[in-house]
Amino acid sequence: MNIENNYDLTYLVNDTERLVFEELGQVLEEEQYKGVCICQDCVIDMATLALNRLEPRYHASLLGTIYAQSAGNEQYTEKVREAVNFAVKKVSSNPAHS
Ligand SMILES: [Zn+2]
């Protein structure tokens, strides 16, 4: 059975993605990261790196809503922050853009 062809997997939402995107957006506006490249390649690299350092937080969205109700606890928010800061530093010090 082919799961992807037979089921609507948009009901499956990874809260971590939204948390990382929000955090990344904020962090990139910080004074300390002024001058960091925010081209498509670099930002995608940052998001990828941060997401791969975090445990995913999936939930089944029965109404197909994009936003989750519970964003997660303080501890997890802190982990997201750490992962995003690590990713921005790492990518900006060694950008892969052409
Ligand atoms: Zn770049």
Side-chain angles (χ1 to χ4, degrees):
M1 163 163 94
N2 187 314
I3 296 291
E4 284 181 274
N5 287 349
N6 289 290
Y7 296 90
D8 183 358
L9 298 180
T10 58
Y11 284 99
L12 200 56
V13 179
N14 183 359
D15 295 330
T16 311
E17 285 185 11
R18 184 172 50 83
L19 292 170
V20 163
F21 299 154
E22 281 176 7
E23 184 65 27
L24 186 56
Q26 283 175 23
V27 157
L28 288 174
E29 286 179 352
E30 286 176 11
E31 195 64 30
Q32 60 171 324
Y33 294 126
K34 227 179 173 181
V36 162
C37 180
I38 51 164
C39 75
Q40 172 79 26
D41 290 352
C42 287
V43 170
I44 292 294
D45 279 351
M46 289 167 191
T48 303
L49 194 55
L51 283 166
N52 280 336
R53 292 175 68 83
L54 293 159
E55 269 181 47
R57 290 265 168 113
Y58 283 100
H59 80 274
S61 168
L62 295 178
L63 295 171
T65 49
I66 296 164
Y67 286 90
Q69 47 282 61
S70 56
N73 57 33
E74 274 296 304
Q75 214 182 356
Y76 193 68
T77 307
E78 188 51 41
K79 280 186 183 169
V80 169
R81 203 162 290 151
E82 280 172 21
V84 166
N85 276 278
F86 172 86
V88 172
K89 283 176 191 153
K90 180 111 176 166
V91 171
S92 63
S93 68
N94 188 19
H97 56 212
S98 46

Coordinates of all heavy atoms in Angstrom, one line a residue:
M1 N 0.9 -1.2 0.0 CA 0.0 0.0 0.0 C 0.9 1.2 0.0 O 1.9 1.3 0.7 CB -0.9 -0.1 1.2 CG -1.5 1.3 1.6 SD -2.9 1.0 2.7 CE -2.1 1.3 4.3
N2 N 0.5 2.2 -0.8 CA 1.3 3.4 -0.9 C 0.6 4.5 0.0 O -0.5 5.0 -0.4 CB 1.4 3.9 -2.3 CG 2.3 5.1 -2.5 OD1 2.2 6.1 -1.7 ND2 3.2 5.0 -3.5
I3 N 1.2 4.8 1.1 CA 0.6 5.7 2.0 C 0.5 7.1 1.4 O -0.6 7.8 1.6 CB 1.5 5.8 3.3 CG1 1.5 4.4 4.0 CG2 1.0 6.9 4.3 CD1 0.2 4.0 4.7
E4 N 1.5 7.6 0.8 CA 1.5 8.9 0.2 C 0.4 9.2 -0.8 O -0.2 10.2 -0.9 CB 2.8 9.3 -0.3 CG 3.9 9.6 0.8 CD 5.2 10.0 0.2 OE1 6.0 9.1 -0.1 OE2 5.4 11.2 0.0
N5 N 0.1 8.1 -1.6 CA -0.9 8.3 -2.6 C -2.3 8.1 -2.1 O -3.3 8.5 -2.7 CB -0.7 7.3 -3.8 CG 0.5 7.6 -4.6 OD1 1.0 8.7 -4.5 ND2 0.9 6.7 -5.5
N6 N -2.5 7.4 -1.0 CA -3.8 7.1 -0.5 C -4.3 7.9 0.7 O -5.5 7.8 1.0 CB -3.8 5.6 -0.1 CG -3.8 4.7 -1.3 OD1 -4.7 4.7 -2.1 ND2 -2.7 4.1 -1.6
Y7 N -3.4 8.7 1.3 CA -3.8 9.5 2.4 C -3.4 10.9 2.3 O -2.4 11.2 1.6 CB -3.2 8.9 3.7 CG -3.7 7.5 4.0 CD1 -3.1 6.4 3.5 CD2 -4.9 7.3 4.7 CE1 -3.6 5.1 3.7 CE2 -5.4 6.0 5.0 CZ -4.7 4.9 4.4 OH -5.2 3.7 4.6
D8 N -4.2 11.8 2.9 CA -3.8 13.2 2.9 C -2.9 13.5 4.0 O -3.3 13.6 5.2 CB -5.1 14.0 3.0 CG -4.8 15.5 2.9 OD1 -3.6 15.9 2.8 OD2 -5.7 16.3 3.0
L9 N -1.6 13.6 3.7 CA -0.6 13.7 4.7 C -0.4 15.2 5.2 O 0.5 15.4 6.0 CB 0.7 13.1 4.3 CG 0.6 11.6 4.0 CD1 2.0 11.0 3.6 CD2 0.1 10.8 5.2
T10 N -1.2 16.1 4.6 CA -1.1 17.4 5.1 C -1.7 17.6 6.4 O -1.5 18.6 7.1 CB -1.8 18.4 4.1 OG1 -3.1 18.1 4.0 CG2 -1.1 18.4 2.7
Y11 N -2.4 16.5 6.9 CA -2.9 16.5 8.2 C -1.8 16.4 9.3 O -2.0 16.6 10.5 CB -4.0 15.4 8.4 CG -5.3 15.7 7.8 CD1 -5.6 15.2 6.5 CD2 -6.2 16.5 8.4 CE1 -6.8 15.5 5.9 CE2 -7.4 16.8 7.8 CZ -7.7 16.3 6.6 OH -8.9 16.6 6.0
L12 N -0.7 15.9 8.8 CA 0.5 15.7 9.7 C 1.3 17.0 9.7 O 1.8 17.4 8.7 CB 1.3 14.5 9.0 CG 2.3 13.8 9.9 CD1 1.5 13.2 11.1 CD2 2.9 12.7 9.1
V13 N 1.3 17.5 10.9 CA 2.0 18.8 11.1 C 3.2 18.7 12.0 O 3.0 18.1 13.1 CB 1.0 19.9 11.6 CG1 1.7 21.2 11.8 CG2 -0.2 20.0 10.7
N14 N 4.3 19.2 11.6 CA 5.5 19.2 12.5 C 5.6 20.6 13.1 O 6.0 21.6 12.5 CB 6.8 18.9 11.7 CG 8.0 18.8 12.6 OD1 7.9 19.0 13.8 ND2 9.1 18.5 11.9
D15 N 5.3 20.7 14.4 CA 5.3 22.0 15.1 C 6.7 22.6 15.1 O 6.9 23.8 15.2 CB 4.8 21.8 16.5 CG 3.4 21.4 16.6 OD1 2.6 21.8 15.7 OD2 3.0 20.7 17.6
T16 N 7.7 21.7 15.1 CA 9.1 22.2 15.1 C 9.4 23.1 14.0 O 10.1 24.1 14.1 CB 10.1 21.0 15.1 OG1 9.6 20.0 16.1 CG2 11.5 21.4 15.4
E17 N 8.9 22.8 12.8 CA 9.1 23.6 11.7 C 8.7 25.1 11.9 O 9.4 26.0 11.7 CB 8.4 23.1 10.4 CG 9.1 21.9 9.8 CD 8.4 21.4 8.5 OE1 7.6 22.2 8.0 OE2 8.7 20.3 8.1
R18 N 7.5 25.2 12.4 CA 6.9 26.6 12.6 C 7.8 27.3 13.7 O 8.1 28.5 13.6 CB 5.5 26.5 13.1 CG 4.8 27.8 13.3 CD 3.3 27.7 13.5 NE 3.0 26.7 14.6 CZ 3.1 27.0 15.9 NH1 3.4 28.2 16.3 NH2 2.8 26.1 16.8
L19 N 8.1 26.5 14.8 CA 8.9 27.2 15.8 C 10.3 27.6 15.3 O 10.8 28.7 15.7 CB 9.1 26.1 17.0 CG 7.9 25.8 17.8 CD1 8.1 24.6 18.7 CD2 7.4 27.0 18.6
V20 N 10.9 26.8 14.5 CA 12.2 27.1 13.9 C 12.1 28.3 13.0 O 12.9 29.2 13.0 CB 12.9 25.9 13.2 CG1 14.0 26.3 12.3 CG2 13.4 24.9 14.2
F21 N 11.1 28.3 12.1 CA 10.9 29.5 11.2 C 10.7 30.8 12.0 O 11.3 31.8 11.6 CB 9.8 29.2 10.2 CG 9.9 28.0 9.4 CD1 8.8 27.3 8.9 CD2 11.2 27.5 9.1 CE1 9.0 26.2 8.0 CE2 11.3 26.4 8.2 CZ 10.2 25.7 7.7
E22 N 9.9 30.7 13.0 CA 9.6 31.9 13.8 C 10.9 32.4 14.5 O 11.2 33.6 14.4 CB 8.5 31.6 14.9 CG 7.1 31.6 14.3 CD 6.1 31.2 15.4 OE1 6.5 31.1 16.6 OE2 4.9 31.1 15.0
E23 N 11.6 31.5 15.1 CA 12.8 31.8 15.8 C 13.9 32.4 14.9 O 14.5 33.4 15.1 CB 13.3 30.6 16.6 CG 14.5 30.8 17.5 CD 14.2 31.8 18.6 OE1 13.1 31.9 19.0 OE2 15.2 32.5 19.1
L24 N 14.0 31.7 13.7 CA 15.0 32.1 12.7 C 14.7 33.5 12.2 O 15.6 34.4 12.1 CB 15.0 31.1 11.6 CG 16.1 31.3 10.5 CD1 17.5 31.3 11.1 CD2 15.9 30.2 9.4
G25 N 13.5 33.8 12.0 CA 13.1 35.2 11.6 C 13.4 36.2 12.6 O 13.9 37.3 12.2
Q26 N 13.2 35.9 13.8 CA 13.6 36.9 14.9 C 15.1 37.0 15.0 O 15.6 38.1 15.1 CB 13.0 36.4 16.2 CG 11.5 36.7 16.3 CD 10.9 36.1 17.6 OE1 11.6 35.9 18.6 NE2 9.6 35.8 17.6
V27 N 15.8 35.9 15.1 CA 17.2 35.9 15.3 C 18.0 36.7 14.2 O 18.9 37.4 14.5 CB 17.7 34.4 15.4 CG1 19.2 34.3 15.1 CG2 17.5 33.9 16.8
L28 N 17.5 36.5 13.0 CA 18.2 37.2 11.9 C 18.0 38.7 11.9 O 18.7 39.4 11.2 CB 17.7 36.7 10.5 CG 18.2 35.2 10.2 CD1 17.5 34.7 8.9 CD2 19.7 35.2 10.1
E29 N 17.1 39.2 12.7 CA 16.9 40.6 12.9 C 17.7 41.2 14.0 O 17.8 42.4 14.2 CB 15.4 41.0 13.1 CG 14.6 40.8 11.8 CD 13.1 41.1 12.0 OE1 12.7 41.3 13.2 OE2 12.4 41.1 11.1
E30 N 18.4 40.3 14.8 CA 19.2 40.8 15.9 C 20.4 41.5 15.5 O 21.0 41.1 14.4 CB 19.5 39.6 16.8 CG 18.4 39.0 17.6 CD 18.7 37.8 18.4 OE1 19.9 37.5 18.5 OE2 17.8 37.2 19.0
E31 N 20.8 42.4 16.3 CA 22.0 43.2 16.0 C 23.3 42.4 15.8 O 24.0 42.6 14.8 CB 22.3 44.2 17.2 CG 23.2 45.3 16.9 CD 22.7 46.3 15.8 OE1 21.4 46.4 15.7 OE2 23.5 46.9 15.1
Q32 N 23.4 41.4 16.6 CA 24.6 40.5 16.5 C 24.7 39.8 15.1 O 25.8 39.3 14.8 CB 24.7 39.5 17.6 CG 23.5 38.6 17.7 CD 23.7 37.4 18.7 OE1 24.8 36.9 18.9 NE2 22.6 37.1 19.4
Y33 N 23.6 39.6 14.5 CA 23.6 38.9 13.2 C 23.5 39.8 12.0 O 23.2 39.4 10.9 CB 22.6 37.8 13.2 CG 22.8 36.7 14.2 CD1 21.9 36.3 15.1 CD2 24.1 36.0 14.2 CE1 22.1 35.3 16.0 CE2 24.3 35.0 15.1 CZ 23.3 34.7 16.0 OH 23.6 33.7 17.0
K34 N 23.7 41.1 12.2 CA 23.7 42.1 11.1 C 24.8 41.7 10.2 O 25.9 41.4 10.6 CB 23.9 43.5 11.7 CG 22.9 44.5 11.2 CD 23.1 45.8 11.8 CE 22.2 46.9 11.1 NZ 22.5 48.2 11.6
G35 N 24.5 41.7 8.9 CA 25.6 41.4 7.9 C 25.6 39.9 7.5 O 26.3 39.5 6.6
V36 N 24.8 39.1 8.3 CA 24.7 37.7 7.9 C 24.0 37.6 6.6 O 22.9 38.2 6.4 CB 24.0 36.9 9.1 CG1 23.5 35.6 8.6 CG2 25.0 36.7 10.2
C37 N 24.4 36.7 5.7 CA 23.8 36.5 4.4 C 22.4 35.9 4.6 O 22.3 34.9 5.3 CB 24.6 35.7 3.5 SG 23.8 35.4 1.9
I38 N 21.4 36.5 4.0 CA 20.0 35.9 4.2 C 19.5 35.6 2.8 O 18.3 35.7 2.5 CB 19.1 36.8 4.9 CG1 19.1 38.3 4.3 CG2 19.4 36.9 6.4 CD1 17.9 39.1 4.8
C39 N 20.4 35.1 1.9 CA 19.9 34.6 0.6 C 19.1 33.3 0.8 O 19.2 32.7 1.8 CB 21.1 34.5 -0.4 SG 22.1 33.0 -0.1
Q40 N 18.4 32.9 -0.2 CA 17.6 31.7 -0.2 C 18.4 30.5 0.3 O 18.0 29.8 1.2 CB 17.1 31.4 -1.6 CG 16.4 30.1 -1.8 CD 14.9 30.1 -1.3 OE1 14.3 31.1 -1.2 NE2 14.4 28.9 -0.9
D41 N 19.6 30.3 -0.3 CA 20.5 29.2 0.0 C 20.8 29.1 1.5 O 20.8 28.1 2.2 CB 21.7 29.2 -0.8 CG 21.5 28.8 -2.3 OD1 20.3 28.5 -2.6 OD2 22.4 28.9 -3.1
C42 N 21.3 30.3 2.0 CA 21.7 30.4 3.4 C 20.6 30.1 4.4 O 20.8 29.4 5.4 CB 22.5 31.7 3.6 SG 24.1 31.8 2.8
V43 N 19.5 30.8 4.1 CA 18.4 30.6 5.1 C 17.8 29.2 5.1 O 17.5 28.6 6.1 CB 17.2 31.7 4.7 CG1 16.0 31.4 5.5 CG2 17.7 33.1 5.0
I44 N 17.8 28.6 3.9 CA 17.3 27.2 3.8 C 18.4 26.3 4.6 O 18.0 25.4 5.3 CB 17.1 26.7 2.4 CG1 15.9 27.4 1.7 CG2 17.0 25.2 2.3 CD1 14.6 27.1 2.4
D45 N 19.6 26.6 4.4 CA 20.7 25.8 5.1 C 20.5 26.0 6.6 O 20.7 25.0 7.3 CB 22.1 26.3 4.7 CG 22.5 25.7 3.4 OD1 21.9 24.8 2.9 OD2 23.6 26.1 2.9
M46 N 20.3 27.2 7.0 CA 20.1 27.4 8.5 C 18.9 26.7 9.0 O 19.0 26.0 10.1 CB 19.9 28.9 8.7 CG 21.1 29.8 8.5 SD 20.6 31.5 8.5 CE 22.1 32.3 7.9
A47 N 17.8 26.7 8.3 CA 16.6 26.0 8.8 C 16.8 24.5 8.8 O 16.4 23.8 9.7 CB 15.4 26.4 7.9
T48 N 17.5 24.0 7.8 CA 17.8 22.6 7.7 C 18.6 22.1 8.8 O 18.3 21.1 9.5 CB 18.5 22.2 6.4 OG1 17.7 22.7 5.3 CG2 18.8 20.8 6.2
L49 N 19.7 22.9 9.1 CA 20.6 22.5 10.1 C 19.9 22.6 11.5 O 20.1 21.6 12.3 CB 21.8 23.5 10.1 CG 23.0 23.2 10.9 CD1 23.6 21.8 10.5 CD2 24.1 24.3 10.6
A50 N 19.2 23.6 11.7 CA 18.5 23.7 13.0 C 17.5 22.6 13.2 O 17.4 21.9 14.2 CB 17.8 25.1 13.1
L51 N 16.7 22.3 12.2 CA 15.7 21.2 12.2 C 16.3 19.9 12.5 O 15.7 19.1 13.2 CB 14.8 21.2 11.0 CG 13.8 22.4 10.9 CD1 13.2 22.5 9.5 CD2 12.6 22.1 11.9
N52 N 17.4 19.6 11.9 CA 18.1 18.3 12.1 C 18.7 18.1 13.4 O 19.0 17.0 13.8 CB 19.1 18.1 11.0 CG 18.5 17.6 9.7 OD1 17.4 17.1 9.6 ND2 19.2 17.9 8.6
R53 N 18.8 19.2 14.2 CA 19.4 19.1 15.5 C 18.3 18.9 16.6 O 18.5 18.8 17.8 CB 20.2 20.3 15.9 CG 21.5 20.4 15.0 CD 22.2 21.7 15.3 NE 22.7 21.8 16.7 CZ 23.9 21.3 17.0 NH1 24.6 20.6 16.2 NH2 24.3 21.5 18.3
L54 N 17.0 19.0 16.1 CA 15.9 19.0 17.0 C 15.0 17.7 16.8 O 14.9 17.2 15.7 CB 15.0 20.2 16.9 CG 15.7 21.5 17.3 CD1 15.0 22.7 16.6 CD2 15.7 21.7 18.8
E55 N 14.5 17.3 17.9 CA 13.5 16.2 17.8 C 12.2 16.8 17.2 O 11.8 17.8 17.6 CB 13.1 15.6 19.1 CG 14.0 14.4 19.5 CD 13.6 13.9 20.9 OE1 12.4 13.7 21.1 OE2 14.5 13.7 21.7
P56 N 11.7 16.1 16.2 CA 10.4 16.6 15.6 C 9.3 16.5 16.6 O 9.3 15.7 17.5 CB 10.2 15.8 14.4 CG 10.9 14.5 14.7 CD 12.1 14.9 15.5
R57 N 8.3 17.4 16.4 CA 7.1 17.4 17.3 C 5.9 17.4 16.3 O 5.4 18.4 15.9 CB 7.0 18.7 18.1 CG 8.0 18.7 19.2 CD 7.5 18.2 20.5 NE 8.5 18.0 21.5 CZ 8.6 18.7 22.6 NH1 7.7 19.7 22.9 NH2 9.5 18.5 23.5
Y58 N 5.5 16.2 16.0 CA 4.4 16.0 15.1 C 3.1 16.0 15.8 O 3.0 15.4 16.9 CB 4.5 14.7 14.2 CG 5.5 14.9 13.1 CD1 6.8 14.4 13.2 CD2 5.2 15.5 11.9 CE1 7.7 14.5 12.2 CE2 6.1 15.6 10.9 CZ 7.3 15.1 11.0 OH 8.2 15.2 10.0
H59 N 2.1 16.5 15.2 CA 0.7 16.2 15.7 C -0.2 16.1 14.5 O 0.0 16.6 13.4 CB 0.3 17.3 16.7 CG -0.2 18.6 16.0 ND1 0.6 19.6 15.6 CD2 -1.5 18.9 15.6 CE1 -0.1 20.5 15.1 NE2 -1.4 20.2 15.1
A60 N -1.3 15.3 14.7 CA -2.3 15.1 13.7 C -3.3 16.2 13.8 O -4.0 16.4 14.8 CB -3.0 13.8 13.9
S61 N -3.4 17.0 12.7 CA -4.3 18.1 12.7 C -5.6 17.7 12.1 O -5.7 17.6 10.8 CB -3.7 19.3 11.9 OG -4.7 20.2 11.7
L62 N -6.6 17.4 12.9 CA -7.9 16.8 12.3 C -8.6 17.8 11.4 O -9.4 17.4 10.6 CB -8.8 16.3 13.5 CG -8.1 15.2 14.3 CD1 -9.1 14.8 15.4 CD2 -7.9 14.0 13.4
L63 N -8.5 19.0 11.7 CA -9.2 20.0 10.9 C -8.3 20.6 9.8 O -8.7 21.4 9.0 CB -9.6 21.2 11.8 CG -10.7 20.8 12.8 CD1 -10.9 22.0 13.8 CD2 -12.0 20.4 12.2
G64 N -7.1 20.0 9.7 CA -6.2 20.5 8.6 C -5.7 21.8 8.8 O -5.2 22.5 7.9
T65 N -5.7 22.3 10.1 CA -5.2 23.6 10.4 C -3.7 23.7 10.3 O -3.1 22.7 10.6 CB -5.7 24.1 11.7 OG1 -5.4 23.1 12.7 CG2 -7.2 24.5 11.7
I66 N -3.2 24.8 10.0 CA -1.8 24.9 9.8 C -1.1 25.1 11.2 O -0.1 24.5 11.5 CB -1.4 26.2 8.9 CG1 -2.0 25.9 7.5 CG2 0.1 26.4 8.9 CD1 -2.0 27.2 6.7
Y67 N -1.8 25.9 12.0 CA -1.2 26.2 13.3 C -1.6 25.2 14.4 O -2.7 24.8 14.5 CB -1.5 27.6 13.7 CG -0.7 28.6 12.9 CD1 -1.2 29.1 11.7 CD2 0.5 29.0 13.3 CE1 -0.5 30.0 11.0 CE2 1.3 29.9 12.6 CZ 0.8 30.4 11.4 OH 1.5 31.2 10.6
A68 N -0.6 24.9 15.2 CA -0.9 24.0 16.3 C -1.4 24.8 17.5 O -1.1 26.0 17.6 CB 0.4 23.3 16.7
Q69 N -2.1 24.2 18.4 CA -2.6 24.9 19.6 C -1.5 25.0 20.6 O -1.2 26.1 21.1 CB -3.8 24.2 20.1 CG -3.7 22.7 20.3 CD -3.9 21.9 19.0 OE1 -3.2 22.1 18.1 NE2 -4.9 21.1 18.9
S70 N -0.8 24.0 20.9 CA 0.3 24.0 21.9 C 1.6 24.1 21.2 O 2.0 23.1 20.5 CB 0.2 22.9 22.8 OG 0.2 21.7 22.1
A71 N 2.3 25.1 21.5 CA 3.6 25.3 20.8 C 4.7 24.4 21.5 O 5.7 24.1 20.9 CB 4.0 26.7 20.8
G72 N 4.5 24.0 22.7 CA 5.6 23.2 23.4 C 6.0 24.0 24.6 O 5.6 25.1 24.9
N73 N 6.8 23.3 25.4 CA 7.1 23.9 26.7 C 8.4 24.7 26.6 O 9.0 24.8 25.6 CB 7.3 22.7 27.7 CG 8.4 21.7 27.3 OD1 9.3 22.1 26.6 ND2 8.2 20.5 27.6
E74 N 8.7 25.4 27.7 CA 9.8 26.3 27.8 C 11.1 25.6 27.5 O 11.9 26.2 26.7 CB 9.9 26.8 29.3 CG 9.1 28.0 29.6 CD 9.5 29.2 28.8 OE1 10.6 29.6 28.9 OE2 8.6 29.8 28.1
Q75 N 11.3 24.4 27.9 CA 12.5 23.7 27.7 C 12.8 23.5 26.2 O 13.9 23.6 25.7 CB 12.5 22.4 28.4 CG 13.8 21.9 29.0 CD 13.7 20.5 29.6 OE1 12.6 20.0 29.7 NE2 14.8 20.0 30.0
Y76 N 11.7 23.1 25.5 CA 11.8 22.9 24.1 C 12.0 24.2 23.4 O 12.8 24.2 22.4 CB 10.5 22.2 23.6 CG 10.7 21.6 22.2 CD1 11.5 20.5 22.0 CD2 10.0 22.2 21.1 CE1 11.7 20.0 20.7 CE2 10.2 21.7 19.9 CZ 11.0 20.6 19.7 OH 11.2 20.1 18.4
T77 N 11.4 25.2 23.8 CA 11.6 26.5 23.2 C 13.1 26.9 23.3 O 13.6 27.5 22.3 CB 10.7 27.6 23.9 OG1 9.4 27.1 23.9 CG2 10.8 28.9 23.1
E78 N 13.7 26.6 24.4 CA 15.1 26.9 24.6 C 16.0 26.1 23.7 O 16.9 26.6 23.1 CB 15.4 26.7 26.1 CG 16.8 27.1 26.5 CD 17.1 28.6 26.1 OE1 16.3 29.4 26.3 OE2 18.3 28.8 25.7
K79 N 15.6 24.9 23.5 CA 16.4 24.0 22.5 C 16.3 24.5 21.1 O 17.2 24.5 20.4 CB 15.8 22.6 22.6 CG 16.3 21.8 23.8 CD 15.9 20.3 23.7 CE 16.3 19.6 24.9 NZ 15.7 18.2 25.0
V80 N 15.1 25.0 20.8 CA 14.9 25.6 19.4 C 15.8 26.8 19.3 O 16.5 27.0 18.2 CB 13.4 26.0 19.2 CG1 13.2 26.8 17.9 CG2 12.5 24.7 19.1
R81 N 15.8 27.6 20.3 CA 16.6 28.8 20.3 C 18.1 28.5 20.1 O 18.8 29.1 19.3 CB 16.4 29.6 21.6 CG 16.8 31.1 21.5 CD 16.1 31.8 22.7 NE 14.7 31.8 22.6 CZ 13.8 31.9 23.6 NH1 14.3 31.9 24.8 NH2 12.5 32.0 23.4
E82 N 18.6 27.5 20.8 CA 20.0 27.1 20.7 C 20.3 26.5 19.3 O 21.3 26.9 18.8 CB 20.3 25.9 21.8 CG 20.5 26.4 23.2 CD 20.6 25.3 24.2 OE1 20.8 24.1 23.7 OE2 20.3 25.5 25.4
A83 N 19.4 25.7 18.8 CA 19.6 25.1 17.5 C 19.7 26.2 16.4 O 20.5 26.1 15.5 CB 18.5 24.1 17.2
V84 N 18.8 27.1 16.5 CA 18.7 28.2 15.5 C 20.0 29.1 15.6 O 20.6 29.4 14.6 CB 17.5 29.0 15.7 CG1 17.5 30.3 14.9 CG2 16.2 28.2 15.2
N85 N 20.4 29.4 16.8 CA 21.6 30.2 16.9 C 22.8 29.5 16.4 O 23.7 30.1 15.7 CB 21.8 30.7 18.4 CG 21.0 31.9 18.7 OD1 21.4 33.0 18.4 ND2 19.8 31.7 19.2
F86 N 22.9 28.2 16.7 CA 24.0 27.4 16.2 C 24.0 27.4 14.7 O 25.1 27.6 14.1 CB 23.9 25.9 16.8 CG 24.9 25.0 16.2 CD1 26.1 24.8 16.7 CD2 24.5 24.2 15.0 CE1 27.0 23.9 16.1 CE2 25.4 23.4 14.4 CZ 26.7 23.2 15.0
A87 N 22.9 27.2 14.1 CA 22.8 27.1 12.7 C 23.1 28.4 12.0 O 23.8 28.4 11.0 CB 21.3 26.7 12.3
V88 N 22.7 29.5 12.6 CA 23.0 30.8 11.9 C 24.5 31.1 12.0 O 25.1 31.5 11.0 CB 22.3 32.0 12.7 CG1 22.7 33.3 12.2 CG2 20.8 31.8 12.4
K89 N 25.2 30.8 13.1 CA 26.6 30.9 13.3 C 27.4 30.0 12.3 O 28.3 30.5 11.6 CB 27.0 30.7 14.7 CG 26.7 31.8 15.6 CD 27.1 31.4 17.1 CE 26.5 32.5 18.0 NZ 26.2 31.9 19.4
K90 N 27.0 28.8 12.3 CA 27.6 27.8 11.4 C 27.5 28.1 9.9 O 28.5 28.2 9.2 CB 27.0 26.4 11.7 CG 27.6 25.3 10.9 CD 28.4 24.4 11.7 CE 28.9 23.2 10.9 NZ 29.9 22.4 11.6
V91 N 26.3 28.4 9.5 CA 26.1 28.7 8.0 C 26.8 30.0 7.6 O 27.4 30.1 6.6 CB 24.6 28.7 7.7 CG1 24.4 29.2 6.3 CG2 24.0 27.3 7.8
S92 N 26.7 31.0 8.5 CA 27.2 32.4 8.2 C 28.7 32.3 8.2 O 29.4 33.1 7.5 CB 26.7 33.4 9.1 OG 27.1 33.2 10.4
S93 N 29.4 31.5 8.9 CA 30.8 31.4 9.0 C 31.4 30.6 7.8 O 32.5 30.6 7.5 CB 31.3 30.8 10.3 OG 31.0 29.5 10.4
N94 N 30.5 29.8 7.2 CA 30.9 29.0 6.1 C 29.7 28.8 5.1 O 29.2 27.7 4.9 CB 31.4 27.6 6.6 CG 32.0 26.7 5.5 OD1 32.4 27.3 4.5 ND2 32.0 25.4 5.7
P95 N 29.4 29.9 4.4 CA 28.2 29.9 3.5 C 28.4 29.0 2.3 O 29.5 28.9 1.8 CB 28.0 31.3 3.1 CG 29.2 32.1 3.7 CD 30.1 31.2 4.4
A96 N 27.3 28.3 1.9 CA 27.4 27.4 0.8 C 26.8 28.0 -0.5 O 26.8 27.4 -1.5 CB 26.7 26.1 1.1
H97 N 26.4 29.3 -0.4 CA 25.8 30.0 -1.5 C 26.8 30.2 -2.7 O 28.0 30.2 -2.4 CB 25.2 31.3 -1.1 CG 26.1 32.2 -0.5 ND1 25.7 33.1 0.5 CD2 27.5 32.4 -0.6 CE1 26.8 33.8 0.9 NE2 27.8 33.4 0.2
S98 N 26.3 30.3 -3.9 CA 27.3 30.4 -5.0 C 27.5 31.9 -5.3 O 26.8 32.8 -4.8 CB 26.7 29.7 -6.2 OG 25.3 30.1 -6.4
Ligands
ZN1 ZN 23.9 33.4 1.2

